[in-house]
Structure formats: C-alpha cells, structure tokens
C-alpha cells in the first residue's frame, strides 16, 4: 500500500492579530461605568488617570501581539515571549542561517534561559485509518516530554513536529532497518524480517517505487551507493545482495558461511563493500566482481559499523559491547585494527548502532554514537590524528531492550552545548534525549506507533524523521519550521 499523506494545519494565530482593535476604544470598553458603591464616578482627575492607564495597557498589549510571530507554536510560547526581560534584544545572538548540517535557526544566550522559559507543547489525539485499520492511536505533535522526565520550569531546545507527513504500512513483518538515500530528502528504503526491501519516495504524493525480494530471512542492514543507484543488503540467510534500484533487480549475490549482520559502501571508493559477519570478521568485497579481497578478525560477532567521511576509518561494534577502530586502504581494501574500546558494563550487550558525525558542538570535532541492546547510549569524541582514538564524553542508561533498537544523532538546532539523539523504544514511542542532561535528559517524544519502535532515520534536509516498528509500520514525521 502506498504512503498516505496527512494534512496538518498550523495553530491559529492569536486573536489580536486577526482583530486590530483601536487601543482607545478598547480602554473605553475596559473602563467600568459605576464605582463600587453603585454610583457613577464623579472625580474627573481619577477618571482621566484611569483612562490613561487603561489606554497604555491596551496599546502595549496590541503592540506585543503585532511584534510576536506564532511560527507554529502555541500559548506557552506567547507567554514566554511576554515574560522576556526588557533587554532581551541585547542578550541574544542570532544563529547562522539554516543549512543541511544545521537545520533551523535558534538563539544562544549568555544568561541562564532555563530560569525564564517552559517547554512549549501541544498534543493532538487522532485515529489514522488506512485500509480500515487503525495505525496511530495517539499522536503527540509538539515538544512534549515524558511524564516523569518533563521539567516544569526549564527550557529545552526540543524538536517540535507538526504531524505525520506520510505512513507506509505495506510491510506485514517487523521493519528492522530504514534509511534515507545519500544527500536525498525524499528517497527512503526499509528492510524487514521477512527478507523484503522496500524503496519508496516521500515526496508528494508518497508512493512505493520498488519491492526488492530475494532474501529468505531477516534483512539485518543495507546501504545506498553514493549516487543512490544501488543498494547493498545483508541478511540472516548468509548472503549479501546488490540491487539496481531503477530496475528492481538483484544484480549480484555473495554467499557467505555465516550470518551477515551489517554492511556499508566505502564512502570514497564505492567499488568496496565492508560487511560485518557472525564469523567475527569484517570482509571487504569487490562490488564489481563479488569477490572477497580482504578480511579482519575480531573477538566477537560484528553487529554494527559506520565509516568516517574520508573513507580511511571504519568504526564497528561487536556482540560483547566492544568498539573497534579499523583503518582501511581506499585503493587496496586492506584492513588493520587500530584501537579497541572495551565495554565498561559487566553485562556485555550487543551493539545495535554505530554512527559517525564529522562535527559536534560539544566535542568541537568528530564524534561517534554507540547504542547497545541493554539500553546504554555512549557518546565518544574521535581523534582522527591518532587513527580514530575514542574518548568517552558522556553516556546515558535506559531500560534494557528486547528488540535491536537503533538510535541516531539529531540535527544541530542551536548553539547550545548539548548532544541530542533520537531513539526508538519498547513502549512504542520515539524519544529525543540530551545526553548532557542527566536529570532532564528526555526533551521530546512522539506517539503514534502501536508496537515497539525499532529504527529511526533523518532525511538529508533534516526536516523529516522516519521511524519503523515491529508491526511493519513506517511513519514519516514532519518537523516544525523554526524561526
């Protein structure tokens, strides 16, 4: 079934913007006709003073409402605006223009904004019926946080959403992994536990482009080539398959002796495929010939991986919670282990997500996000000059997971020193966390799935977030526009 686009109307502007009432008339209407004893006021000085004060009050309110822009927010945002200090304009510094790497425009301030603001939130409940089946039961569209973690008087630069952009429910099995195409804002693909791969577009109208069938067991991972013409997928059926998206055909099958758990195209030399296996190996496969050209052995099953943007390093995690930095030759595909970071947890848990980012405001350089099945999230700074040496900057412990739930970095929305990530959960919600705030780490959550949320992914423009669940439903959320 094709994705169904959902319309979401922005909040109505304040009434004062609709009706520009004359302040003088408004002050006359506010002025009482009788005093407290029931008689008309007879003191002309008192009447004049009261009318002047009411006029100034009305004028101030009208001007404030004219200056304020709703921008998709609600009552709390307006209340925050009118509570701002008088020297507000001098305290704030406008951020840079919105870019794909820094989507949205927020402000930073040397004063503690947490003392001034509350979180702006609104919630909407609706039933979304597709083909007679209810997909969403309760959908949170604003910057709401969990009931236990929500701060009462603290401002958080949360991630606001205006609703669901579209929904895909054609898959009848658990969607284990989903990704947007490279530098693409509308090409989306997702793999399921029934071995199917679905390629779709989220542009209007949302639709399924190709159904790629060939794997006989769960799709564990896949990756787009740099030009988005091919997809390479790994599976529990011990095969790696390469697909030509435009034709929907499998053009190459590489048979292995063990489960194939994760896969990546080399970011510079797309003729190389790196595959993590249950045989405790990373194998480098020649895309053109399908032959294995190099291998590297590890201490346990390689469950997740990612490359740096230069293609010189591979970061991978294993089933015991250890993280490795591996050097790879872009010309020959030769691998060599550089560093190992052992899990600090006594209960060693498989790593479900390894994601590299070339810059972070917190680390002032490249960083790595690692998510384990036991619910632990770790944030490392990467020293490229020391062959990708990892230094733990902060971590977060969540509830253990039954499913292999994935996480992702969030877009850089502000100049505040925080590190925001988004993750699925066993309770069917999508959560947003600030890893630097241990007391109020949850800054937002989205409700709409009916089963555990497994995968999350941002598009290139960072205005759409896709999430998948154990029932096979994929929801694409539309982020609110920011000032």
């Amino acid at each position: 079934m094709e994705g169904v686009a959902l319309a979401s109307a922005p909040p109505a502007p304040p009434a004062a913007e609709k009706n520009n009432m004359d302040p003088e008339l408004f002050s006359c209407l506010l002025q009482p006709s009788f005093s407290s004893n029931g008689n008309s006021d007879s003191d002309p000085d008192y009447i004049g003073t009261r009318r002047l004060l009411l006029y100034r009050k009305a004028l101030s309110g009208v001007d404030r409402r004219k200056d304020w822009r709703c921008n998709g927010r609600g009552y709390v945002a307006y209340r925050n605006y009118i509570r701002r200090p008088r020297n507000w304009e001098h305290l704030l510094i406008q951020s840079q223009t919105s870019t794909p790497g820094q989507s949205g425009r927020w402000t930073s301030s040397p004063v503690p904004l947490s003392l001034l603001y509350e979180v702006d939130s609104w919630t909407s409940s609706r039933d979304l019926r597709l083909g007679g089946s209810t997909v969403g039961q309760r959908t949170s569209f604003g910057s709401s946080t969990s009931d236990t973690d929500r701060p009462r008087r603290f401002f958080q630069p949360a991630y606001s959403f205006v609703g669901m952009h579209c929904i895909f429910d054609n898959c009848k099995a658990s969607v284990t992994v989903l990704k947007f195409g490279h530098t693409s804002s509308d090409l989306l693909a997702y793999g399921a536990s029934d071995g199917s791969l679905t390629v779709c577009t989220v542009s209007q109208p949302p639709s399924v482009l190709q159904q790629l069938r060939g794997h006989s067991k769960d799709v564990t991972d896949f990756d787009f080539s740099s030009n988005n013409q091919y997809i390479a997928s790994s599976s529990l059926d011990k095969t790696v398959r390469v697909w030509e998206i435009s034709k929907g055909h499998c053009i190459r099958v590489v048979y292995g002796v063990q489960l194939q758990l994760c896969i990546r195209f080399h970011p510079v030399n797309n003729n190389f495929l790196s595959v993590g296996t249950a045989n405790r190996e990373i194998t480098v496969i020649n895309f053109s010939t399908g032959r294995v050209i190099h291998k590297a052995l590890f201490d346990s099953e390689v469950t997740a991986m990612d490359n740096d943007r230069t293609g010189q390093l591979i970061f991978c995690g294993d089933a015991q919670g250890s993280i490795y930095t591996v050097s790879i030759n872009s010309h020959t595909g030769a691998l060599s282990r550089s560093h190992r970071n052992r899990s600090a947890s006594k209960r060693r848990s498989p790593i479900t997500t390894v994601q590299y980012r070339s810059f972070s405001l917190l680390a002032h350089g490249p960083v790595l996000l690692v998510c384990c099945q036991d619910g632990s999230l770790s944030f490392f700074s990467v020293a490229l000059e020391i062959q990708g040496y990892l230094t733990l900057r902060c971590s977060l412990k969540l509830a253990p997971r039954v499913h292999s739930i994935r996480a992702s970095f969030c877009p850089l929305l502000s100049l505040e020193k925080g590190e925001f990530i988004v993750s699925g959960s066993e309770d069917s919600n999508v959560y947003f966390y600030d890893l630097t705030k241990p007391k109020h780490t949850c800054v937002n959550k989205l409700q709409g799935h009916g089963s555990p949320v497994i995968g999350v992914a941002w598009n290139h423009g960072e205005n759409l977030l896709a999430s998948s669940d154990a029932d096979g439903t994929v929801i694409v959320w539309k982020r609110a526009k920011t000032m």
Side-chain angles (χ1 to χ4, degrees):
M1 177 178 177
E2 295 182 357
V4 180
L6 302 175
S8 57
E17 290 188 6
K18 294 181 178 179
N19 303 318
N20 295 325
M21 181 177 290
D22 182 15
E24 188 170 1
L25 174 60
F26 185 60
S27 66
C28 293
L29 294 176
L30 287 178
Q31 181 176 335
S33 301
F34 299 93
S35 61
S36 58
N37 57 11
N39 299 324
S40 300
D41 293 322
S42 56
D43 187 352
D45 294 335
Y46 172 73
I47 295 175
T49 302
R50 182 171 60 189
R51 178 171 295 182
L52 177 62
L53 293 175
L54 289 174
Y55 175 84
R56 289 180 177 176
K57 182 178 180 63
L59 183 63
S60 175
V62 170
D63 289 342
R64 282 186 172 185
R65 284 168 171 79
K66 286 182 179 179
D67 290 340
W68 181 68
R69 296 295 178 263
C70 179
N71 194 37
R73 296 187 177 273
Y75 164 72
V76 177
Y78 177 70
R79 184 175 60 194
N80 291 339
Y81 174 81
I82 64 178
R83 286 180 178 176
R84 75 195 193 286
R86 293 186 179 182
N87 60 342
W88 174 262
E89 293 80 6
H90 302 287
L91 293 176
L92 294 183
I93 303 174
Q94 196 68 23
S95 66
Q96 298 178 357
T97 307
S98 175
T99 62
Q102 181 176 318
S103 182
R105 296 167 64 187
W106 289 73
T107 53
S108 64
S109 170
V111 298
L113 294 180
S114 59
L115 302 178
L116 303 177
Y117 293 111
E118 299 177 64
V119 175
D120 178 23
S121 63
W122 60 93
T123 304
S124 174
S125 300
R126 65 175 63 180
D127 288 336
L128 304 172
R129 299 186 178 274
L130 299 177
S133 62
T134 301
V135 176
Q137 297 176 347
R138 183 174 180 269
T139 307
S140 175
F141 296 151
S143 305
S144 59
T145 60
S146 65
D147 296 335
T148 56
D149 293 335
R150 176 176 179 174
R152 295 297 178 184
R153 300 290 297 177
F154 292 89
F155 170 81
Q156 295 282 4
Y159 292 77
S160 301
F161 290 78
V162 296
M164 296 179 182
H165 176 69
C166 60
I167 297 176
F168 298 93
D169 67 344
N170 59 292
C171 191
K172 304 306 178 185
S174 173
V175 175
T176 53
V177 57
L178 79 167
K179 294 179 183 179
F180 282 91
H182 288 299
T183 65
S184 174
S185 293
D186 57 359
L187 183 64
L188 174 68
Y190 48 92
S193 59
D194 61 359
S196 65
L197 263 171
T198 304
V199 183
C200 52
T201 176
V202 298
S203 59
Q204 299 296 342
S207 61
V208 173
L209 301 177
Q210 298 288 353
Q211 287 273 11
L212 310 178
R213 298 191 178 276
H215 288 296
S216 59
K217 293 184 179 180
D218 304 42
V219 174
T220 55
D221 199 7
F222 69 87
D223 196 22
F224 284 92
S225 62
S226 59
N227 57 9
N228 293 328
Q229 293 183 3
Y230 303 97
I231 283 181
S233 59
S234 59
S235 172
L236 295 183
D237 63 5
K238 303 180 183 181
T239 66
V240 168
R241 291 179 179 264
V242 180
W243 310 83
E244 188 174 358
I245 298 176
S246 60
K247 297 180 179 179
H249 294 160
C250 178
I251 61 174
R252 179 156 287 107
V253 182
V254 181
Y255 295 91
V257 296
Q258 287 291 338
L259 310 180
Q260 312 293 308
L261 303 179
C262 53
I263 190 167
R264 287 293 182 276
F265 273 101
H266 192 278
V268 177
N269 186 350
N270 262 199
N271 199 42
F272 290 159
L273 282 170
S274 303
V275 184
T277 73
N279 202 29
R280 302 183 301 162
E281 292 177 339
I282 287 183
T283 59
V284 179
I285 300 174
N286 186 302
F287 173 83
S288 302
T289 64
R291 294 182 178 180
V292 176
I293 58 177
H294 207 277
K295 293 182 179 180
L297 188 64
F298 298 86
D299 299 335
S300 185
E301 302 174 358
V302 180
T303 56
M305 70 165 63
D306 200 8
N307 296 91
D308 76 326
R309 298 302 170 257
T310 66
Q312 298 178 1
L313 298 174
I314 297 176
F315 302 95
C316 61
D318 66 13
Q320 297 298 320
S322 297
I323 308 136
Y324 303 87
T325 303
V326 183
S327 299
I328 179 171
N329 189 302
S330 301
H331 301 286
T332 64
L335 300 173
S336 60
R337 284 176 49 175
S338 300
H339 305 287
R340 175 184 176 183
N341 191 300
R342 292 179 180 270
S343 173
S345 174
K346 294 181 179 180
R347 294 182 58 187
R348 297 181 178 180
S349 176
I351 291 177
T352 61
T353 300
V354 173
Q355 188 177 20
Y356 175 86
R357 176 181 257 178
S358 55
F359 180 76
S360 166
L361 290 169
L362 180 64
H364 298 289
V367 289
L368 193 73
L369 173 66
V370 176
C371 176
C372 295
Q373 194 165 344
D374 65 357
S376 60
L377 296 167
S378 302
F379 176 76
F380 297 88
S381 59
V382 182
L384 296 178
E385 64 276 9
I386 320 178
Q387 295 183 316
Y389 183 80
L390 302 179
T391 303
L392 181 65
R393 300 300 297 264
C394 54
S395 61
L396 176 64
K397 188 65 173 70
L398 305 175
R401 285 92 183 274
V402 176
H403 299 81
S404 296
I405 292 175
R406 304 172 189 261
S408 173
F409 282 113
C410 283
L412 295 175
L413 285 190
S414 73
L415 297 179
E416 298 292 335
K417 286 189 176 180
E419 198 57 51
F420 299 92
I421 63 104
V422 59
S423 173
S425 68
E426 297 286 350
D427 62 2
S428 307
N429 297 324
V430 179
Y431 285 96
F432 296 78
Y433 300 103
D434 183 357
L435 298 182
T436 64
K437 300 291 179 62
K439 291 186 178 180
H440 303 293
T441 183
C442 180
V443 297
N444 192 7
K445 73 175 177 179
L446 301 176
Q447 298 172 297
H449 288 278
S451 59
V453 179
I454 298 176
V456 289
W458 291 94
N459 70 340
H460 178 69
E462 297 181 334
N463 63 318
L464 297 176
L465 171 69
S467 57
S468 63
D469 63 29
D471 286 341
T473 302
V474 174
I475 299 178
V476 180
W477 309 85
K478 188 174 183 179
R479 237 187 67 205
K481 294 182 179 179
T482 55
M483 297 179 65

